[in-house]
Amino acid sequence: MTAAKPSPKAGARAGGRGRPSKAKGLDLKETILDAAEGLFARHGFHGVTTRQVASEAGVDTALIHYYFGAKRELFDAVFLRRAEILNQAREASMNAYVAAHDPATMTVEGVIEAFIEPLLRISQDGGAGWKSYFALVAQVNNTPAWGGETMARFFDPVVHQLVETLKTLRPQAEYRDLYWCYQFLTGSMMLSLSETGRIDSLSEGECHSSDLEAVRQRLFSYCAAGFEAVIAKGGK
Amino acid sequence: MTAAKPSPKAGARAGGRGRPSKAKGLDLKETILDAAEGLFARHGFHGVTTRQVASEAGVDTALIHYYFGAKRELFDAVFLRRAEILNQAREASMNAYVAAHDPATMTVEGVIEAFIEPLLRISQDGGAGWKSYFALVAQVNNTPAWGGETMARFFDPVVHQLVETLKTLRPQAEYRDLYWCYQFLTGSMMLSLSETGRIDSLSEGECHSSDLEAVRQRLFSYCAAGFEAVIAKGGK
DNA sequence: CCCCTTTTTCATCACTTGGTGAAAAATAGC
DNA sequence: GCTATTTTTCACCAAGTGATGAAAAAGGGG
């Protein structure tokens, strides 16, 4: 059991006497996270070695442990880095939708769009790092061993916000139905965001998994119609 | 490069002079596949060692290589074993639906049910092995590195059958829309079949991911309504 | 320039990995 | 029992694994 973490003190960054200055180290820290993110997204946690990460980042293996400790802690750091940004964007989007509409003009599709749209936008405008990140989340989402726990830890609050908003919009809906529909939604959404290329070969070039605009044009109405159908059918 | 595979001749099973008899070896082969299936499903390809598989199956490590060759070949054998059964069941189900209805009484929901229902039934009645298998497929489905290629190799034909059937049922629908809707459907379906337990904690006990009856009661109408909405919206 | 701290590199450890070749055991026809 | 074949075990390898401790380099403050 390692008593004291060998990583550097949180406050101090670089240079002498504990004063932050050039923050050169931080650049490397981000470089390592970027490299790890891309590799973990492609090959999963166990499919990547710390040496691969170090090589990709152009640093020594030991530096990874210096900054992040064990390999699993590196993975958590990768996962955490963008999770907070993501949650804030989604929360803001849903709050904005609720604020911009009075209850009468709110629609299920509008709420769902407010829930999903931030992810599509970030994936389209955020660069390769975000693409990798979404692929990583999709993989974790389907990992029985520790996926459920990890997803819950990072993403439960915003999901509850979605469910509660839908519940106020459709008071007669059962929570059971809303949770199941959310599961269907998240399965579709994460598979689309992970851009596996499967639809490209399946459709023989008719569709491209990188075409998130096509996803946007279909996923919102698809999910909304699904929700309404399940709610309408009710308990039975 | 290993010129000749060290695995046993396909025809010969056990005992002397190349005559099959007790087929004791086959039992072990299945035992190894079962062990590998469960472990791969939980931890992924790279998260499992051949020694773990051997230990779980109660055999020597070398025996795995004797029967299956390299680790990756073992994985493919695991994947292939049930894929064929699955495809036959789904094909039969869809053919039966088409045969039992004239075009006027066929519905999108009926076709989708014929496509999904066999998986739900097999998962419910097939035992732990099938549960593991579905979790494994879900994981592969979200694996960018070789997931798309693997899924295409094993499952493309039956998907094309679904798309073509829907196309005859809704001739005005664009193939683009059908393929995207299929992607949404498969994301929902695979996540539900993998039973990650996430919905259990998310819903605070209201739903259980093992409750495939609940999935059955909602997924068909959810997807059918989604399809109809996307088709109705058409190209724009 | 000296001192103190942080960052980076180097060499290495203890252990695990997938995989193999040869010996041993089992199996069955004669 | 003998022989030919298949199945199973055993000992082992070369390469790679995550991780570490100590030395070296870099970076200010005085």
Side-chain angles (χ1 to χ4, degrees), chain B residues 6-39:
Chain B
S7 42
K9 291 220 305 272
R13 302 297 158 78
R17 273 295 222 292
R19 220 68 317 246
S21 60
K22 285 274 295 303
K24 175 87 170 301
L26 264 211
D27 293 354
L28 272 188
K29 218 171 157 181
E30 292 290 311
T31 307
I32 293 170
L33 284 174
D34 289 342
E37 185 173 61
L39 288 167

PDB file of all heavy atoms in Angstrom, chain B residues 6-39:
ATOM      1  N   PRO B   6      -1.406 -26.777 -34.888  1.00  0.00           N
ATOM      2  CA  PRO B   6      -1.200 -27.878 -33.953  1.00  0.00           C
ATOM      3  C   PRO B   6      -2.506 -28.453 -33.449  1.00  0.00           C
ATOM      4  O   PRO B   6      -2.504 -29.412 -32.700  1.00  0.00           O
ATOM      5  CB  PRO B   6      -0.412 -27.220 -32.816  1.00  0.00           C
ATOM      6  CG  PRO B   6      -0.874 -25.799 -32.849  1.00  0.00           C
ATOM      7  CD  PRO B   6      -1.212 -25.480 -34.279  1.00  0.00           C
ATOM      8  N   SER B   7      -3.610 -27.854 -33.849  1.00  0.00           N
ATOM      9  CA  SER B   7      -4.885 -28.345 -33.332  1.00  0.00           C
ATOM     10  C   SER B   7      -5.215 -29.707 -33.937  1.00  0.00           C
ATOM     11  O   SER B   7      -4.716 -30.074 -34.981  1.00  0.00           O
ATOM     12  CB  SER B   7      -5.984 -27.341 -33.676  1.00  0.00           C
ATOM     13  OG  SER B   7      -5.830 -26.859 -34.984  1.00  0.00           O
ATOM     14  N   PRO B   8      -6.080 -30.427 -33.286  1.00  0.00           N
ATOM     15  CA  PRO B   8      -6.368 -31.797 -33.716  1.00  0.00           C
ATOM     16  C   PRO B   8      -7.099 -31.803 -35.046  1.00  0.00           C
ATOM     17  O   PRO B   8      -7.748 -30.833 -35.416  1.00  0.00           O
ATOM     18  CB  PRO B   8      -7.246 -32.341 -32.599  1.00  0.00           C
ATOM     19  CG  PRO B   8      -7.866 -31.120 -32.004  1.00  0.00           C
ATOM     20  CD  PRO B   8      -6.848 -30.042 -32.127  1.00  0.00           C
ATOM     21  N   LYS B   9      -6.979 -32.886 -35.752  1.00  0.00           N
ATOM     22  CA  LYS B   9      -7.676 -32.995 -37.035  1.00  0.00           C
ATOM     23  C   LYS B   9      -9.178 -32.862 -36.824  1.00  0.00           C
ATOM     24  O   LYS B   9      -9.753 -33.360 -35.839  1.00  0.00           O
ATOM     25  CB  LYS B   9      -7.373 -34.355 -37.684  1.00  0.00           C
ATOM     26  CG  LYS B   9      -5.932 -34.479 -38.140  1.00  0.00           C
ATOM     27  CD  LYS B   9      -5.784 -35.191 -39.479  1.00  0.00           C
ATOM     28  CE  LYS B   9      -6.421 -36.548 -39.501  1.00  0.00           C
ATOM     29  NZ  LYS B   9      -5.564 -37.636 -39.044  1.00  0.00           N
ATOM     30  N   ALA B  10      -9.807 -32.198 -37.759  1.00  0.00           N
ATOM     31  CA  ALA B  10     -11.218 -31.858 -37.564  1.00  0.00           C
ATOM     32  C   ALA B  10     -12.083 -33.101 -37.346  1.00  0.00           C
ATOM     33  O   ALA B  10     -12.958 -33.122 -36.491  1.00  0.00           O
ATOM     34  CB  ALA B  10     -11.731 -31.076 -38.765  1.00  0.00           C
ATOM     35  N   GLY B  11     -11.823 -34.119 -38.124  1.00  0.00           N
ATOM     36  CA  GLY B  11     -12.663 -35.300 -38.053  1.00  0.00           C
ATOM     37  C   GLY B  11     -12.412 -36.142 -36.815  1.00  0.00           C
ATOM     38  O   GLY B  11     -13.342 -36.550 -36.133  1.00  0.00           O
ATOM     39  N   ALA B  12     -11.163 -36.370 -36.514  1.00  0.00           N
ATOM     40  CA  ALA B  12     -10.818 -37.269 -35.411  1.00  0.00           C
ATOM     41  C   ALA B  12     -11.112 -36.621 -34.069  1.00  0.00           C
ATOM     42  O   ALA B  12     -10.898 -35.436 -33.870  1.00  0.00           O
ATOM     43  CB  ALA B  12      -9.357 -37.652 -35.488  1.00  0.00           C
ATOM     44  N   ARG B  13     -11.605 -37.383 -33.143  1.00  0.00           N
ATOM     45  CA  ARG B  13     -11.971 -36.826 -31.845  1.00  0.00           C
ATOM     46  C   ARG B  13     -11.118 -37.373 -30.704  1.00  0.00           C
ATOM     47  O   ARG B  13     -10.492 -36.641 -29.981  1.00  0.00           O
ATOM     48  CB  ARG B  13     -13.450 -37.107 -31.535  1.00  0.00           C
ATOM     49  CG  ARG B  13     -14.393 -36.574 -32.555  1.00  0.00           C
ATOM     50  CD  ARG B  13     -14.303 -35.041 -32.620  1.00  0.00           C
ATOM     51  NE  ARG B  13     -14.779 -34.514 -33.905  1.00  0.00           N
ATOM     52  CZ  ARG B  13     -16.045 -34.386 -34.246  1.00  0.00           C
ATOM     53  NH1 ARG B  13     -16.970 -34.744 -33.411  1.00  0.00           N
ATOM     54  NH2 ARG B  13     -16.391 -33.903 -35.397  1.00  0.00           N
ATOM     55  N   ALA B  14     -11.099 -38.668 -30.545  1.00  0.00           N
ATOM     56  CA  ALA B  14     -10.400 -39.223 -29.387  1.00  0.00           C
ATOM     57  C   ALA B  14     -10.015 -40.665 -29.685  1.00  0.00           C
ATOM     58  O   ALA B  14     -10.432 -41.225 -30.710  1.00  0.00           O
ATOM     59  CB  ALA B  14     -11.292 -39.172 -28.144  1.00  0.00           C
ATOM     60  N   GLY B  15      -9.248 -41.190 -28.791  1.00  0.00           N
ATOM     61  CA  GLY B  15      -8.910 -42.601 -28.904  1.00  0.00           C
ATOM     62  C   GLY B  15      -7.988 -42.901 -30.065  1.00  0.00           C
ATOM     63  O   GLY B  15      -7.482 -42.009 -30.740  1.00  0.00           O
ATOM     64  N   GLY B  16      -7.799 -44.174 -30.303  1.00  0.00           N
ATOM     65  CA  GLY B  16      -6.803 -44.593 -31.281  1.00  0.00           C
ATOM     66  C   GLY B  16      -7.291 -44.568 -32.705  1.00  0.00           C
ATOM     67  O   GLY B  16      -8.479 -44.388 -32.977  1.00  0.00           O
ATOM     68  N   ARG B  17      -6.380 -44.696 -33.579  1.00  0.00           N
ATOM     69  CA  ARG B  17      -6.585 -44.898 -35.016  1.00  0.00           C
ATOM     70  C   ARG B  17      -7.611 -43.961 -35.663  1.00  0.00           C
ATOM     71  O   ARG B  17      -8.317 -44.368 -36.581  1.00  0.00           O
ATOM     72  CB  ARG B  17      -7.042 -46.352 -35.272  1.00  0.00           C
ATOM     73  CG  ARG B  17      -5.946 -47.343 -35.445  1.00  0.00           C
ATOM     74  CD  ARG B  17      -5.088 -47.158 -36.633  1.00  0.00           C
ATOM     75  NE  ARG B  17      -4.774 -48.422 -37.322  1.00  0.00           N
ATOM     76  CZ  ARG B  17      -4.010 -49.390 -36.838  1.00  0.00           C
ATOM     77  NH1 ARG B  17      -3.399 -49.228 -35.678  1.00  0.00           N
ATOM     78  NH2 ARG B  17      -3.798 -50.497 -37.531  1.00  0.00           N
ATOM     79  N   GLY B  18      -7.695 -42.759 -35.174  1.00  0.00           N
ATOM     80  CA  GLY B  18      -8.495 -41.778 -35.865  1.00  0.00           C
ATOM     81  C   GLY B  18      -9.993 -42.031 -35.874  1.00  0.00           C
ATOM     82  O   GLY B  18     -10.722 -41.427 -36.622  1.00  0.00           O
ATOM     83  N   ARG B  19     -10.457 -42.932 -35.046  1.00  0.00           N
ATOM     84  CA  ARG B  19     -11.889 -43.197 -35.008  1.00  0.00           C
ATOM     85  C   ARG B  19     -12.532 -42.413 -33.865  1.00  0.00           C
ATOM     86  O   ARG B  19     -12.056 -42.464 -32.741  1.00  0.00           O
ATOM     87  CB  ARG B  19     -12.071 -44.683 -34.732  1.00  0.00           C
ATOM     88  CG  ARG B  19     -13.108 -45.470 -35.420  1.00  0.00           C
ATOM     89  CD  ARG B  19     -13.107 -45.789 -36.835  1.00  0.00           C
ATOM     90  NE  ARG B  19     -12.757 -44.776 -37.776  1.00  0.00           N
ATOM     91  CZ  ARG B  19     -13.608 -44.273 -38.659  1.00  0.00           C
ATOM     92  NH1 ARG B  19     -14.834 -44.650 -38.654  1.00  0.00           N
ATOM     93  NH2 ARG B  19     -13.231 -43.399 -39.545  1.00  0.00           N
ATOM     94  N   PRO B  20     -13.576 -41.639 -34.104  1.00  0.00           N
ATOM     95  CA  PRO B  20     -14.255 -40.969 -32.997  1.00  0.00           C
ATOM     96  C   PRO B  20     -15.025 -41.974 -32.151  1.00  0.00           C
ATOM     97  O   PRO B  20     -15.579 -42.927 -32.679  1.00  0.00           O
ATOM     98  CB  PRO B  20     -15.214 -40.002 -33.697  1.00  0.00           C
ATOM     99  CG  PRO B  20     -15.438 -40.605 -35.046  1.00  0.00           C
ATOM    100  CD  PRO B  20     -14.185 -41.339 -35.397  1.00  0.00           C
ATOM    101  N   SER B  21     -15.056 -41.701 -30.831  1.00  0.00           N
ATOM    102  CA  SER B  21     -15.763 -42.663 -29.995  1.00  0.00           C
ATOM    103  C   SER B  21     -16.407 -42.003 -28.778  1.00  0.00           C
ATOM    104  O   SER B  21     -17.582 -41.647 -28.807  1.00  0.00           O
ATOM    105  CB  SER B  21     -14.777 -43.728 -29.521  1.00  0.00           C
ATOM    106  OG  SER B  21     -13.749 -43.099 -28.781  1.00  0.00           O
ATOM    107  N   LYS B  22     -15.621 -41.803 -27.749  1.00  0.00           N
ATOM    108  CA  LYS B  22     -16.206 -41.247 -26.532  1.00  0.00           C
ATOM    109  C   LYS B  22     -16.327 -39.727 -26.602  1.00  0.00           C
ATOM    110  O   LYS B  22     -17.130 -39.136 -25.890  1.00  0.00           O
ATOM    111  CB  LYS B  22     -15.344 -41.641 -25.316  1.00  0.00           C
ATOM    112  CG  LYS B  22     -15.507 -43.105 -24.901  1.00  0.00           C
ATOM    113  CD  LYS B  22     -16.688 -43.280 -23.957  1.00  0.00           C
ATOM    114  CE  LYS B  22     -16.435 -42.559 -22.652  1.00  0.00           C
ATOM    115  NZ  LYS B  22     -15.201 -42.987 -21.982  1.00  0.00           N
ATOM    116  N   ALA B  23     -15.452 -39.117 -27.415  1.00  0.00           N
ATOM    117  CA  ALA B  23     -15.502 -37.665 -27.585  1.00  0.00           C
ATOM    118  C   ALA B  23     -15.332 -36.944 -26.256  1.00  0.00           C
ATOM    119  O   ALA B  23     -15.952 -35.938 -25.997  1.00  0.00           O
ATOM    120  CB  ALA B  23     -16.812 -37.247 -28.253  1.00  0.00           C
ATOM    121  N   LYS B  24     -14.479 -37.498 -25.415  1.00  0.00           N
ATOM    122  CA  LYS B  24     -14.177 -36.834 -24.153  1.00  0.00           C
ATOM    123  C   LYS B  24     -13.589 -35.449 -24.404  1.00  0.00           C
ATOM    124  O   LYS B  24     -13.941 -34.482 -23.729  1.00  0.00           O
ATOM    125  CB  LYS B  24     -13.166 -37.691 -23.361  1.00  0.00           C
ATOM    126  CG  LYS B  24     -12.664 -37.071 -22.071  1.00  0.00           C
ATOM    127  CD  LYS B  24     -13.590 -37.387 -20.929  1.00  0.00           C
ATOM    128  CE  LYS B  24     -12.960 -36.977 -19.605  1.00  0.00           C
ATOM    129  NZ  LYS B  24     -11.696 -37.654 -19.363  1.00  0.00           N
ATOM    130  N   GLY B  25     -12.717 -35.368 -25.397  1.00  0.00           N
ATOM    131  CA  GLY B  25     -12.067 -34.109 -25.709  1.00  0.00           C
ATOM    132  C   GLY B  25     -13.053 -33.008 -26.047  1.00  0.00           C
ATOM    133  O   GLY B  25     -12.861 -31.858 -25.689  1.00  0.00           O
ATOM    134  N   LEU B  26     -14.130 -33.350 -26.698  1.00  0.00           N
ATOM    135  CA  LEU B  26     -15.109 -32.348 -27.070  1.00  0.00           C
ATOM    136  C   LEU B  26     -15.732 -31.681 -25.858  1.00  0.00           C
ATOM    137  O   LEU B  26     -16.005 -30.500 -25.853  1.00  0.00           O
ATOM    138  CB  LEU B  26     -16.196 -32.997 -27.937  1.00  0.00           C
ATOM    139  CG  LEU B  26     -15.997 -32.858 -29.435  1.00  0.00           C
ATOM    140  CD1 LEU B  26     -17.325 -32.803 -30.132  1.00  0.00           C
ATOM    141  CD2 LEU B  26     -15.188 -31.611 -29.778  1.00  0.00           C
ATOM    142  N   ASP B  27     -15.945 -32.469 -24.824  1.00  0.00           N
ATOM    143  CA  ASP B  27     -16.486 -31.882 -23.606  1.00  0.00           C
ATOM    144  C   ASP B  27     -15.557 -30.789 -23.091  1.00  0.00           C
ATOM    145  O   ASP B  27     -15.998 -29.701 -22.745  1.00  0.00           O
ATOM    146  CB  ASP B  27     -16.646 -32.977 -22.536  1.00  0.00           C
ATOM    147  CG  ASP B  27     -17.727 -33.975 -22.937  1.00  0.00           C
ATOM    148  OD1 ASP B  27     -18.385 -33.736 -23.961  1.00  0.00           O
ATOM    149  OD2 ASP B  27     -17.887 -34.975 -22.236  1.00  0.00           O
ATOM    150  N   LEU B  28     -14.259 -31.119 -23.083  1.00  0.00           N
ATOM    151  CA  LEU B  28     -13.298 -30.139 -22.602  1.00  0.00           C
ATOM    152  C   LEU B  28     -13.276 -28.911 -23.500  1.00  0.00           C
ATOM    153  O   LEU B  28     -13.136 -27.793 -23.024  1.00  0.00           O
ATOM    154  CB  LEU B  28     -11.904 -30.761 -22.517  1.00  0.00           C
ATOM    155  CG  LEU B  28     -11.593 -31.456 -21.191  1.00  0.00           C
ATOM    156  CD1 LEU B  28     -10.143 -31.857 -21.133  1.00  0.00           C
ATOM    157  CD2 LEU B  28     -11.921 -30.536 -20.030  1.00  0.00           C
ATOM    158  N   LYS B  29     -13.389 -29.153 -24.778  1.00  0.00           N
ATOM    159  CA  LYS B  29     -13.401 -28.030 -25.712  1.00  0.00           C
ATOM    160  C   LYS B  29     -14.557 -27.083 -25.385  1.00  0.00           C
ATOM    161  O   LYS B  29     -14.392 -25.864 -25.332  1.00  0.00           O
ATOM    162  CB  LYS B  29     -13.566 -28.576 -27.141  1.00  0.00           C
ATOM    163  CG  LYS B  29     -12.767 -27.829 -28.181  1.00  0.00           C
ATOM    164  CD  LYS B  29     -12.810 -28.557 -29.510  1.00  0.00           C
ATOM    165  CE  LYS B  29     -12.518 -27.611 -30.663  1.00  0.00           C
ATOM    166  NZ  LYS B  29     -12.568 -28.270 -31.963  1.00  0.00           N
ATOM    167  N   GLU B  30     -15.711 -27.661 -25.133  1.00  0.00           N
ATOM    168  CA  GLU B  30     -16.867 -26.835 -24.771  1.00  0.00           C
ATOM    169  C   GLU B  30     -16.645 -26.154 -23.423  1.00  0.00           C
ATOM    170  O   GLU B  30     -17.014 -24.994 -23.238  1.00  0.00           O
ATOM    171  CB  GLU B  30     -18.130 -27.705 -24.719  1.00  0.00           C
ATOM    172  CG  GLU B  30     -18.578 -28.230 -26.070  1.00  0.00           C
ATOM    173  CD  GLU B  30     -19.131 -27.140 -26.985  1.00  0.00           C
ATOM    174  OE1 GLU B  30     -19.981 -26.362 -26.530  1.00  0.00           O
ATOM    175  OE2 GLU B  30     -18.688 -27.072 -28.154  1.00  0.00           O
ATOM    176  N   THR B  31     -16.050 -26.900 -22.501  1.00  0.00           N
ATOM    177  CA  THR B  31     -15.774 -26.310 -21.187  1.00  0.00           C
ATOM    178  C   THR B  31     -14.884 -25.088 -21.315  1.00  0.00           C
ATOM    179  O   THR B  31     -15.106 -24.055 -20.673  1.00  0.00           O
ATOM    180  CB  THR B  31     -15.104 -27.350 -20.278  1.00  0.00           C
ATOM    181  OG1 THR B  31     -15.908 -28.522 -20.253  1.00  0.00           O
ATOM    182  CG2 THR B  31     -14.918 -26.803 -18.886  1.00  0.00           C
ATOM    183  N   ILE B  32     -13.866 -25.217 -22.165  1.00  0.00           N
ATOM    184  CA  ILE B  32     -12.967 -24.085 -22.382  1.00  0.00           C
ATOM    185  C   ILE B  32     -13.723 -22.915 -23.006  1.00  0.00           C
ATOM    186  O   ILE B  32     -13.582 -21.761 -22.582  1.00  0.00           O
ATOM    187  CB  ILE B  32     -11.785 -24.497 -23.285  1.00  0.00           C
ATOM    188  CG1 ILE B  32     -10.884 -25.498 -22.559  1.00  0.00           C
ATOM    189  CG2 ILE B  32     -10.981 -23.283 -23.717  1.00  0.00           C
ATOM    190  CD1 ILE B  32      -9.837 -26.145 -23.440  1.00  0.00           C
ATOM    191  N   LEU B  33     -14.551 -23.215 -23.988  1.00  0.00           N
ATOM    192  CA  LEU B  33     -15.318 -22.144 -24.629  1.00  0.00           C
ATOM    193  C   LEU B  33     -16.235 -21.454 -23.624  1.00  0.00           C
ATOM    194  O   LEU B  33     -16.360 -20.229 -23.616  1.00  0.00           O
ATOM    195  CB  LEU B  33     -16.135 -22.714 -25.798  1.00  0.00           C
ATOM    196  CG  LEU B  33     -15.344 -23.036 -27.059  1.00  0.00           C
ATOM    197  CD1 LEU B  33     -16.225 -23.738 -28.085  1.00  0.00           C
ATOM    198  CD2 LEU B  33     -14.737 -21.784 -27.666  1.00  0.00           C
ATOM    199  N   ASP B  34     -16.881 -22.256 -22.770  1.00  0.00           N
ATOM    200  CA  ASP B  34     -17.758 -21.665 -21.762  1.00  0.00           C
ATOM    201  C   ASP B  34     -16.985 -20.718 -20.846  1.00  0.00           C
ATOM    202  O   ASP B  34     -17.423 -19.593 -20.574  1.00  0.00           O
ATOM    203  CB  ASP B  34     -18.413 -22.771 -20.925  1.00  0.00           C
ATOM    204  CG  ASP B  34     -19.447 -23.550 -21.721  1.00  0.00           C
ATOM    205  OD1 ASP B  34     -19.898 -23.036 -22.765  1.00  0.00           O
ATOM    206  OD2 ASP B  34     -19.792 -24.669 -21.321  1.00  0.00           O
ATOM    207  N   ALA B  35     -15.848 -21.194 -20.372  1.00  0.00           N
ATOM    208  CA  ALA B  35     -15.050 -20.365 -19.460  1.00  0.00           C
ATOM    209  C   ALA B  35     -14.599 -19.092 -20.154  1.00  0.00           C
ATOM    210  O   ALA B  35     -14.709 -17.984 -19.600  1.00  0.00           O
ATOM    211  CB  ALA B  35     -13.844 -21.163 -18.960  1.00  0.00           C
ATOM    212  N   ALA B  36     -14.098 -19.251 -21.382  1.00  0.00           N
ATOM    213  CA  ALA B  36     -13.626 -18.078 -22.118  1.00  0.00           C
ATOM    214  C   ALA B  36     -14.762 -17.100 -22.369  1.00  0.00           C
ATOM    215  O   ALA B  36     -14.599 -15.882 -22.245  1.00  0.00           O
ATOM    216  CB  ALA B  36     -12.998 -18.519 -23.437  1.00  0.00           C
ATOM    217  N   GLU B  37     -15.914 -17.630 -22.711  1.00  0.00           N
ATOM    218  CA  GLU B  37     -17.072 -16.786 -22.988  1.00  0.00           C
ATOM    219  C   GLU B  37     -17.420 -15.897 -21.801  1.00  0.00           C
ATOM    220  O   GLU B  37     -17.569 -14.679 -21.936  1.00  0.00           O
ATOM    221  CB  GLU B  37     -18.265 -17.682 -23.326  1.00  0.00           C
ATOM    222  CG  GLU B  37     -19.507 -16.982 -23.758  1.00  0.00           C
ATOM    223  CD  GLU B  37     -20.544 -18.013 -24.213  1.00  0.00           C
ATOM    224  OE1 GLU B  37     -20.940 -18.861 -23.388  1.00  0.00           O
ATOM    225  OE2 GLU B  37     -20.926 -17.985 -25.377  1.00  0.00           O
ATOM    226  N   GLY B  38     -17.511 -16.510 -20.644  1.00  0.00           N
ATOM    227  CA  GLY B  38     -17.856 -15.737 -19.459  1.00  0.00           C
ATOM    228  C   GLY B  38     -16.823 -14.679 -19.133  1.00  0.00           C
ATOM    229  O   GLY B  38     -17.157 -13.536 -18.818  1.00  0.00           O
ATOM    230  N   LEU B  39     -15.564 -15.050 -19.250  1.00  0.00           N
ATOM    231  CA  LEU B  39     -14.509 -14.096 -18.900  1.00  0.00           C
ATOM    232  C   LEU B  39     -14.404 -12.974 -19.925  1.00  0.00           C
ATOM    233  O   LEU B  39     -14.288 -11.793 -19.567  1.00  0.00           O
ATOM    234  CB  LEU B  39     -13.166 -14.830 -18.778  1.00  0.00           C
ATOM    235  CG  LEU B  39     -13.055 -15.704 -17.529  1.00  0.00           C
ATOM    236  CD1 LEU B  39     -11.861 -16.651 -17.623  1.00  0.00           C
ATOM    237  CD2 LEU B  39     -12.940 -14.843 -16.280  1.00  0.00           C
TER     238      LEU B  39
END
